[in-house]
Amino acid sequence: MPSQVIVNADDFGLNEHTNAVILRAFQCGLISSATAMASMPAFKAACALAQQPALRGRVGLHFNLTYGRPLSEPIRALAQFCNAEGEFDLGLSRKRLWLGRAARQAVHEELAAQWQRCLDHGLTPSHLDSHQHVHNLWPIGEIVARFAAREGVPIRLARNVGHNIGPAKRLFKTLLNRRLRQLARLTADHVCTPVDLRDGLAPRHGVLEVVAHPSALGSHDFGDAYLGSGESLQALLDQRLAGVPRVGYASLREARQSTLDTASNR
């Protein structure tokens, strides 16, 4: 059984309905973390909600390169990222290992713009992950991890728990996660989906992040986009992770600082 679990809801700010579900999930104790999309229509409302006690210090940035329009100019001119109308249309292969200088700079500027928009609306992100897992592309992951290190926040690892991760994919994820840890320095130990929990794959140690996309299931329960219709995310978490404390990503920074303080006092 993991020592702690971060139950993170992606897509905060996508629309008002998603905001309402995530707010209620926080208030009910279902989730302990969320990540916001800085260029979506309900982002400003999400930032206001993030000031509530249940959410404060527990909302990160959901870096987006695949949906809507970018916040910065240079990336709009690159066909591998945007279409002729200046909307995101990511054309990079998942096997891509390298980007040219102009592309790397454009990704960094877009990431910085999305981060700054959070700050401009009173939200200091607690951590970084990405929409549709774009930072699982090696060169983008390196950019995001370096940015996370500069800002002193954790980054989500690539999912490393699951039956459907074959040998080649597992090798790639192991190498990518090693690189993300090396660059960002702050990560959870394991990442999974609710389906992986349902399959009985909760790790036996370390800090686990469960990547969630909660939905309303009646008036007092929650489903999830990863689960089947009518399946309860709350019941699943209670069953598979009973007694495991639900924490936010800030706990990783606090634990690291405590370790550093202890070492300096020896």
Side-chain angles (χ1 to χ4, degrees), residues 6-12 26 31-37 55-63 111 114-115 118-119 123-131 135 144-145 147-149 151-157 184 186-188 191 208-212 247-253:
I6 300 165
V7 183
N8 189 92
D10 291 358
D11 300 344
F12 199 29
F26 264 117
I31 62 174
S32 57
S33 178
T35 36
M37 302 181 74
L55 286 71
R56 193 172 298 128
R58 292 174 177 263
V59 178
L61 172 62
H62 198 50
F63 181 45
L111 175 56
Q114 292 183 26
W115 183 274
C118 290
L119 300 181
L123 173 62
T124 301
S126 59
H127 65 291
L128 272 162
D129 57 34
S130 63
H131 191 53
H135 78 289
V144 176
F147 190 93
E151 298 298 334
V153 299
I155 186 175
R156 173 187 288 167
L157 292 180
L186 283 172
T187 70
V191 177
L208 169 68
E209 179 187 357
V210 179
V211 180
V247 301
Y249 261 101
S251 66
L252 299 184
R253 299 199 309 272

Side-chain angles (χ1 to χ4, degrees), residues 204-249:
R204 297 181 180 180
H205 58 82
V207 179
L208 169 68
E209 179 187 357
V210 179
V211 180
H213 296 80
S215 57
L217 187 61
S219 58
H220 301 291
D221 200 355
F222 298 88
D224 191 88
Y226 286 109
L227 298 175
S229 176
E231 286 189 84
S232 170
L233 177 61
Q234 181 69 71
L236 178 64
L237 293 171
D238 290 346
Q239 178 186 17
R240 297 296 187 182
L241 298 172
V244 179
R246 295 181 196 179
V247 301
Y249 261 101

Side-chain angles (χ1 to χ4, degrees), residues 129-204:
D129 57 34
S130 63
H131 191 53
Q132 297 183 333
H133 314 294
V134 294
H135 78 289
N136 289 182
L137 277 70
W138 191 286
I140 294 176
E142 289 192 329
I143 293 167
V144 176
R146 287 191 174 98
F147 190 93
R150 190 189 80 182
E151 298 298 334
V153 299
I155 186 175
R156 173 187 288 167
L157 292 180
R159 172 175 164 263
N160 54 7
V161 175
H163 282 314
N164 62 337
I165 304 176
K169 183 181 288 188
R170 189 169 296 279
L171 174 62
F172 175 81
K173 285 175 176 282
T174 298
L175 295 174
L176 173 63
N177 284 342
R178 184 180 301 168
R179 184 60 171 157
L180 295 178
R181 287 190 183 101
Q182 178 187 47
L183 292 174
R185 298 191 291 275
L186 283 172
T187 70
D189 300 298
H190 312 280
V191 177
C192 76
T193 70
V195 171
D196 303 320
L197 288 183
R198 186 184 63 192
D199 291 344
L201 299 179
R204 297 181 180 180

